Amino acid sequence: MRELTTSQAINEALVEELERDPRVFLIGEDIGLHGGAFAVTKGLFQRFGPKRIRNTPISEAVIAGSAVGAALVGARPVAELMYIDFLTLAMDQIVNQGAKVKYMFGGKARVPVVVRMPFGAGRANAAQHSQSLEAWLCHVPGLKVVMPSTPADAKGLLKSAIRDDNMVLVLENKHLYFQKGPVPEGEYLVPLGVADIKRPGKDITVVATGRLVGVALSAAETLSKDGIDVEVLDPRTLYPLDTKAIIASVKKTGRLVTAHEAVKRFGFGAEIAAMIAESEAFDYLDAPIQRVAAPEVPVPFSKSLEDLFLPDAPKVIAACRRTLV
Amino acid sequence: MASEIIMPQMGLTMETGTVLQWLKQVGDPVRRDEAVLEIETDKTTVEVTIDVDGVMLAIVVPAGTEVSVGTRLAWVGQAGEAVPRAPEDTAPMPPPRTATLAPDLIAGAIPTPVEAPGRVRATPAARAKARAIGVDLADLAGTGPGGRIQARDIGAARVSRPISPHRDLPISGMRRVIAERLSRAFHDSVPVLLTTEVAVDRARDLLGRIATDSPERAGRKIGYLPLIVKAAAMALRAHPRLNAHWLGDTIRLFDEIDIGVAVSLEGGLVVPVLRRADRLALAEIAAGITALADKARQGSLPSVEMEGGTFTISNLGGYRVGFFMPVINPPQVAILGVGRVVSRPGILDGQIRAVSVLPLSLVFDHRAVDGTPAAAFLDAIGAALGEPEQLLG
Amino acid sequence: MNLERAVLLRLYETMVRIRTFEQRAEQLFLDKKIPGFIHLYVGEEAIAAGLITQLRDDDYLTSTHRGHGHMLAKGGDSKWMMAELFGKAAGYCKGKGGSMHIMDFSLGVLGANGEVAAGIPIAAGAGMAIRMIKKSDQVVACFFGDGASNRGAFHEGLNWAAVYRLPIIFVVEHNAYASTMPTTESTPVKDIAIRAQGYAMEGVSIDGNDVLQVYQTAQAAIQKARGGGGPTLIEAKTYRLKGHYVGDPQKYRDPQEVETHWRDEPIGRFERLLLDEQILSHETRRAIWERYEAEIEAAVRFAEEGAYPQPSEALTDLFVVDTGYDY
């Protein structure tokens, strides 16, 4: 199968959806001739023109808000916030407007909006350009949140998100933009709300998201040499969450480790842990649940510090081993 | 119960603190929320308060000492209470289990399960499993941290109800020896069982005449066993391959016929040996068996009397036992089992009569002896018992 | 005045309809029939009437927390509006939105909004869709208050609309108070319209209580937008005759001041004009008021008699259920 980088895969998805539906258009900062901060929109401006690939001023409130407004009158915008850290400037429009419009209006509106947000640390971008804020968004009823970990998933999920009639936030880990992976030819969609078992196993379930999926696979490889068989489950969609798949996996293994790049407390891992503890999988747990996450500090700048900050394979391995004690 | 005062974690990065000054001394009363000591961290000086009422029982770390966060500094309790004796002064928070990990705030230590008296610590999976098979968790020891019971600890206890009332017998030396020897024999040898029924009416009649003919022996009847011993001895004389030892690389054929006769004792079984059984008269065999058995029961049988037998006879004729499969006495190559004589319809002189039938079971080791010779041997015994007059003398 | 009689009467009746609805709503709220908050448009009717009556059915508007007037002027159904205020299932939003979230997409009303200035980015979005996707000559009327002109979204939105020449008529309803704060204390400029200059946008400041001035200014702005001329900022100066919300003790202003402004209120002013020009007579005037009182009474009855939504409705209408992406 051919290999593309995540960036290329997303680009393909955008091209395909822009061609398929004339109501789709892009808005964001630096997405025009520059091709996007991470080269994701390379070539689109030349191909689709300024009306459909709209470079915007630095106005995140209006980037998000105009996406809502355009969607309300029948368009299907794909907005980009250059870094998820800038979400804070768009929160009113995403949380108070987009997420709630359908409900507040008695179901009589639809907001088919996609907001793409690069996120994540590891590039010495420091505290204000490196966060993982998926927990904020997953906490808001009315939003769907998606986090691919491979190029193939990134393409398929984005296409599904664009075709979804609801407000879908697509969180792309920056680290993965330049990573290659197999991407099928031709038309395909990855449905929202369906998890993917990236590595089946029988001893421990590791629920990992984003960059941590690759990290978990690497940890699993190391642990397999000691005869420990780790199952790596990638939710792919954070909300709506494929709870059935996670419950089934934990029932099989009896051990759960969550792994994400965001800070531990009140994070996505906490939700998985609580969901499992409330579920029928509770009676199958044979060890306390472990969460691998970043420490509770802003992302530091210097490499030696940032490396400590980022959850890596040894931390996942250690967490797995703690479930086997 | 006494409480500890420990060096508190005043900040995320604090690893040690220094006790600057004790504001309370041993014996001083203390109240909740009262400051008891001053500590210094790398950032600041702080008063440490207490959250119980009581009396200072002991000061463990004196002023001026720098210690790690979590170190026990003092004990507080009720007046007169003894200070608990800890095996060592350890910090309450266990260190992370792998050396490569960064501090707790990143890796997360395994929390020590909290002491909860009367409460069994077990994982949900273990509890579910225990419920399913009816095991009481209180009966189990856990192999998890802090003794936590895990699913694997339940697997071993596959009991569905408590053991019935019982008492346990200790295993005696004799029992142990028997167990070991016979186990070895059974597993090493290739035992094959041949059986035969011998009509013993004539033998019975003969024994009856002996009893009446020998007044000095009156009251001391000779039973079938001496007859069988004699018959076996004669047969062994004719079939020397059965009078042998299997030694692994050789088969030792013995010149003399030394037949062991198994004697049941309270604690087990002994097999005293009747030497040169083929040369003994029937009465001598009878006396010999009795003497050996008496000595064995009294415990005064020296072990040398039990060594060197070339063949063994095991008699269960005192019980309603017919054919059975005795275990060869190693390194012997055969053993004869004797069951109870029973009266059955049979054919005698062409007529249906009540016939007395003696069941004989021969087990031979097929490594040393083949089927036909063994069969011939057994046949010879049967024949001899069928014409028992030749056994006299 | 060179407007047709029908137009003038329509302007007048629109204002009467709004006033009647609002005053009735105030009574109902004080009688505890309406829960939550309501924010009354009393005294500002000329702005809604003067502009919105000129919009086409397929033009859009974004509104505010003080949005009953906009909705009524665009042709909203008073029964469904009243039912929504009551929280009844028959309301515009099935009882799920309330006063601050009233909408009618069939009339192009993209919703009242509980967030100050939030309608501005949304209007910008609608404008973008019109220009870039629909490529039609629809326009968007974007209403907000003087307080909103101090929020970030206002500045971002105006900048954006100017840069992309969006077909938007921004209307700042400068009613002298933002919640409990007098605008003179929160805003360094006297005329908010001047802020349009910062975005190279045309800004005009008018007497918002003069419905004809509103009408004329709006007409020009609508035509300009429709013709591709880009956005305009209309500052309609008015006065908030009622408190920020019903029940506001209004400690921050002198009742005398309010008294004074009642004399300048837009319906009375227009009435005097129409009576002078004999477009209205006292009889026709009374008939008009009675007609709208009756309409609003019917709306109240509709609302009172309507059922509350089923409790299970609390969990519905969150998402459009995915249909398998096959369209």
Side-chain angles (χ1 to χ4, degrees):
Chain A
M1 202 185 281
R2 67 187 178 142
E3 295 228 322
L4 297 181
T5 62
T6 305
S7 189
Q8 289 167 329
I10 296 171
N11 186 286
E12 246 186 33
L14 291 171
V15 168
E16 287 172 19
E17 295 304 300
L18 282 160
E19 292 201 315
R20 184 176 172 276
D21 189 339
R23 298 171 295 175
V24 174
F25 69 101
L26 267 50
I27 39 175
E29 295 159 14
D30 298 342
I31 63 169
L33 273 175
H34 181 66
F38 302 97
V40 167
T41 51
K42 203 160 99 153
L44 297 184
F45 182 83
Q46 291 84 338
R47 193 158 165 179
F48 295 99
K51 282 202 153 41
R52 295 188 73 200
I53 310 297
R54 182 57 91 181
N55 238 11
T56 70
I58 304 175
S59 307
E60 285 77 10
V62 195
I63 291 174
S66 69
V68 172
L72 284 176
V73 302
R76 302 189 75 87
V78 179
E80 179 188 296
L81 295 180
M82 197 195 285
Y83 288 82
I84 198 174
D85 315 71
F86 307 157
L87 169 65
T88 50
L89 291 126
M91 279 300 254
D92 179 58
Q93 292 295 328
I94 291 175
V95 171
N96 286 334
Q97 311 299 327
K100 296 179 170 53
V101 148
K102 183 172 195 315
Y103 186 87
M104 287 192 305
F105 296 161
K108 297 174 188 179
R110 49 179 64 189
V111 197
V113 170
V114 171
V115 183
R116 291 180 40 250
M117 290 180 259
F119 77 96
R123 297 159 58 84
N125 288 162
Q128 295 173 339
H129 290 73
S130 307
Q131 292 170 92
S132 300
L133 299 175
E134 68 273 13
W136 291 8
L137 299 163
C138 291
H139 192 62
V140 177
L143 296 178
K144 296 191 179 182
V145 182
V146 147
M147 189 185 285
S149 69
T150 64
D153 282 343
K155 180 177 176 189
L157 285 170
L158 181 57
K159 285 167 71 84
S160 296
I162 292 172
R163 298 189 199 189
D164 195 313
D165 278 346
N166 299 290
M167 188 129 182
V168 183
L169 306 159
V170 179
L171 275 50
E172 300 162 0
N173 191 297
K174 291 177 221 146
H175 209 80
L176 300 174
Y177 279 137
F178 311 105
Q179 279 193 14
K180 285 199 168 189
V183 178
E185 302 264 13
E187 175 80 2
Y188 75 96
L189 295 173
V190 171
L192 265 52
V194 177
D196 185 33
I197 294 187
K198 291 289 197 287
R199 180 190 195 280
K202 58 171 184 33
D203 295 328
I204 305 173
T205 299
V206 174
V207 176
T209 60
R211 193 178 64 87
L212 270 283
V213 173
V215 168
L217 287 169
S218 165
E221 191 53 43
T222 306
L223 286 167
S224 71
K225 301 200 178 75
D226 286 342
I228 299 167
D229 192 24
V230 171
E231 176 151 294
V232 177
L233 189 152
D234 176 5
R236 299 197 294 191
T237 303
L238 306 189
Y239 188 83
L241 185 62
D242 190 349
T243 53
K244 265 175 62 177
I246 300 173
I247 289 169
S249 177
V250 175
K251 280 170 80 168
K252 180 171 72 168
T253 64
R255 291 178 180 76
L256 173 62
V257 173
T258 66
H260 55 65
E261 202 184 295
V263 158
K264 184 190 283 202
R265 66 174 190 246
F266 295 84
F268 185 69
E271 174 65 23
I272 305 281
M275 183 274 291
I276 287 294
E278 287 177 330
S279 75
E280 61 192 82
F282 173 78
D283 279 316
Y284 294 75
L285 283 171
D286 207 25
I289 298 170
Q290 303 289 322
R291 294 181 286 168
V292 175
E296 287 148 17
V297 292
V299 183
F301 168 66
S302 179
K303 180 166 169 44
S304 62
L305 302 177
E306 197 177 20
D307 284 349
L308 191 82
F309 178 89
L310 284 171
D312 55 9
K315 286 170 190 143
V316 175
I317 290 168
C320 287
R321 288 199 191 280
R322 283 197 298 274
T323 66
L324 292 167
V325 167
Chain B
M1 140 132 209
S3 316
E4 305 172 309
I5 301 174
I6 61 167
M7 177 61 73
Q9 176 109 45
M10 299 299 301
L12 212 53
T13 54
M14 177 180 169
E15 294 192 16
T16 64
T18 305
V19 176
L20 275 187
Q21 203 198 140
W22 281 101
L23 303 172
K24 297 281 175 182
Q25 300 308 316
V26 174
D28 286 349
V30 292
R31 291 183 53 77
R32 201 177 298 263
D33 295 333
E34 227 182 337
V36 289
L37 80 149
E38 251 184 6
I39 62 166
E40 186 182 65
T41 71
D42 55 351
K43 295 212 174 21
T44 183
T45 300
V46 160
E47 276 183 350
V48 176
T49 58
I50 198 174
D51 59 359
V52 292
D53 295 333
V55 152
M56 290 291 287
L57 293 179
I59 290 179
V60 175
V61 175
T65 319
E66 187 183 358
V67 294
S68 307
V69 162
T71 304
R72 183 187 304 118
L73 303 175
W75 289 98
V76 172
Q78 298 311 308
E81 226 182 305
V83 169
R85 293 178 67 60
E88 70 217 59
D89 225 274
T90 49
M93 195 71 131
R97 295 271 172 131
T98 51
T100 53
L101 290 181
D104 289 356
L105 69 96
I106 294 161
I110 303 167
T112 309
V114 171
E115 276 303 322
R119 180 120 184 81
V120 177
R121 278 197 296 279
T123 68
R127 287 181 190 277
K129 207 167 169 185
R131 270 200 302 276
I133 65 175
V135 168
D136 186 346
L137 290 172
D139 293 338
L140 297 176
T143 56
R148 184 188 287 134
I149 299 169
Q150 296 172 296
R152 66 178 174 224
D153 301 323
I154 310 286
R158 207 161 281 287
V159 178
S160 61
R161 50 183 300 273
I163 305 170
S164 301
H166 58 273
R167 65 189 171 91
D168 293 334
L169 297 177
I171 294 176
S172 68
M174 171 166 32
R175 186 87 256 142
R176 209 175 290 279
V177 167
I178 293 170
E180 198 195 281
R181 293 196 71 227
L182 294 185
S183 176
R184 203 161 11 102
F186 189 81
H187 286 105
D188 291 344
S189 68
V190 183
V192 178
L193 173 67
L194 301 179
T195 62
T196 189
E197 290 178 324
V198 181
V200 292
D201 297 88
R202 275 170 75 163
R204 190 196 59 229
D205 293 340
L206 177 65
L207 291 174
R209 282 201 302 279
I210 293 170
T212 52
D213 285 355
S214 316
E216 70 270 23
R217 295 188 56 78
R220 273 159 118 224
K221 266 174 91 169
I222 295 177
Y224 286 106
L225 185 59
L227 209 58
I228 296 164
V229 170
K230 184 77 186 202
M234 306 303 290
L236 284 170
R237 190 44 77 198
H239 300 272
R241 287 297 296 273
L242 280 292
N243 191 52
H245 281 181
W246 171 269
L247 297 177
D249 49 3
T250 57
I251 297 173
R252 179 169 292 168
L253 305 177
F254 285 92
D255 299 335
E256 300 298 344
I257 294 174
D258 299 330
I259 295 185
V261 178
V263 174
S264 169
L265 299 181
E266 185 152 329
L269 180 73
V270 293
V271 189
V273 177
L274 213 54
R275 310 277 168 195
R276 296 191 169 112
D278 62 317
R279 299 208 222 151
L280 296 176
L282 197 56
E284 289 170 313
I285 291 175
I289 292 172
T290 308
L292 288 171
D294 286 344
K295 271 204 227 164
R297 290 195 190 98
Q298 281 155 27
S300 57
L301 192 69
S303 58
V304 71
E305 300 268 7
M306 296 188 274
E307 287 169 21
T310 61
F311 186 82
T312 301
I313 293 181
S314 176
N315 175 26
L316 294 180
Y319 300 92
R320 290 184 183 85
V321 171
F323 297 112
F324 63 104
M325 188 163 161
V327 181
I328 295 172
N329 202 1
Q332 296 170 16
V333 302
I335 181 168
L336 184 69
V338 176
R340 174 177 278 191
V341 171
V342 291
S343 182
R344 272 211 277 105
I347 302 208
L348 201 57
D349 303 324
Q351 305 268 331
I352 294 181
R353 293 280 180 85
V355 176
S356 293
V357 171
L358 167 72
L360 289 178
S361 311
L362 174 72
V363 175
F364 68 94
D365 186 344
H366 211 306
R367 294 178 297 174
V369 180
D370 292 328
T372 306
F377 168 67
L378 187 62
D379 192 79
I381 298 177
L385 289 172
E387 294 184 3
E389 296 77 16
Q390 63 187 292
L391 299 174
L392 292 172
Chain C
M1 120 194 75
N2 46 8
L3 288 179
E4 288 170 17
R5 187 195 167 88
V7 172
L8 294 168
L9 281 174
R10 185 159 171 236
L11 288 173
Y12 178 71
E13 291 195 25
T14 304
M15 293 199 285
V16 170
R17 186 169 185 241
I18 296 171
R19 177 70 59 88
T20 312
F21 186 97
E22 294 293 75
Q23 288 185 322
R24 193 71 179 88
E26 182 181 30
Q27 276 170 5
L28 289 163
F29 187 91
L30 294 169
D31 289 343
K32 299 211 186 309
K33 298 267 181 74
I34 294 178
F37 306 110
I38 53 172
H39 308 84
L40 300 178
Y41 200 64
V42 172
E44 305 180 31
E45 297 86 348
I47 307 171
L51 190 155
I52 297 175
T53 49
Q54 297 184 70
L55 294 176
R56 295 195 316 228
D57 282 348
D58 66 341
D59 288 329
Y60 300 107
L61 77 81
T62 64
S63 175
T64 64
H65 55 283
R66 198 173 302 285
H68 302 162
H70 307 134
M71 184 72 158
L72 287 162
K74 194 79 167 59
D77 187 312
S78 57
K79 292 194 312 295
W80 299 337
M81 281 179 67
M82 197 57 85
E84 187 59 33
L85 263 57
F86 274 60
K88 298 293 180 84
Y92 262 116
C93 304
K94 289 155 66 169
K96 292 184 173 180
S99 165
M100 287 194 288
H101 307 297
I102 298 242
M103 61 83 237
D104 188 339
F105 285 95
S106 70
L107 296 173
V109 177
L110 302 182
N113 211 307
E115 285 292 330
V116 167
I120 297 171
I122 291 175
M128 289 191 86
I130 289 168
R131 267 208 81 200
M132 291 174 8
I133 301 298
K134 293 159 171 284
K135 305 196 172 105
S136 67
D137 67 344
Q138 295 159 282
V139 302
V140 187
C142 177
F143 291 89
F144 50 93
D146 42 279
S149 75
N150 291 332
R151 236 189 194 175
F154 166 85
H155 298 276
E156 285 190 34
L158 260 66
N159 180 69
W160 184 289
V163 149
Y164 296 131
R165 286 166 76 83
L166 298 181
I168 303 178
I169 303 97
F170 292 108
V171 183
V172 50
E173 298 175 313
H174 184 164
N175 64 10
Y177 287 90
S179 184
T180 64
M181 185 145 204
T183 317
T184 48
E185 290 178 28
S186 71
T187 308
V189 298
K190 186 159 163 294
D191 294 335
I192 292 169
I194 204 179
R195 288 182 163 168
Q197 285 179 29
Y199 307 107
M201 189 190 298
E202 187 190 335
V204 53
S205 190
I206 60 171
D207 178 359
N209 282 4
D210 178 346
V211 67
L212 293 177
Q213 195 178 54
V214 174
Y215 186 94
Q216 272 158 0
T217 318
Q219 190 179 58
I222 291 170
Q223 261 168 20
K224 174 169 149 197
R226 232 188 264 297
T232 310
L233 175 63
I234 299 175
E235 179 189 11
K237 293 201 189 214
T238 178
Y239 188 85
R240 199 188 71 202
L241 287 175
K242 297 282 180 179
H244 173 52
Y245 55 91
V246 175
D248 178 2
Q250 299 182 66
K251 295 199 178 125
Y252 47 86
R253 62 182 177 178
D254 183 359
Q256 204 47 52
E257 178 192 296
V258 182
E259 259 311 308
T260 311
H261 277 95
W262 267 103
R263 290 190 228 124
D264 189 42
E265 66 85 19
I267 297 181
R269 275 168 67 169
F270 197 46
E271 255 177 16
R272 283 191 286 281
L273 202 72
L274 292 177
L275 286 167
D276 283 347
E277 299 285 322
Q278 297 189 335
I279 303 202
L280 260 192
S281 69
H282 289 289
E283 287 73 31
T284 51
R285 178 193 167 281
R286 193 197 344 257
I288 287 169
W289 280 92
E290 281 175 1
R291 176 155 33 96
Y292 284 109
E293 273 157 24
E295 180 201 324
I296 303 308
E297 263 329 293
V300 174
R301 267 197 312 279
F302 177 83
E304 281 179 334
E305 286 162 16
Y308 283 103
Q310 290 294 316
S312 59
E313 278 288 311
L315 303 177
T316 62
D317 293 320
L318 193 60
F319 287 120
V320 176
V321 174
D322 299 335
T323 53
Y325 316 112
D326 54 352
Y327 62 80

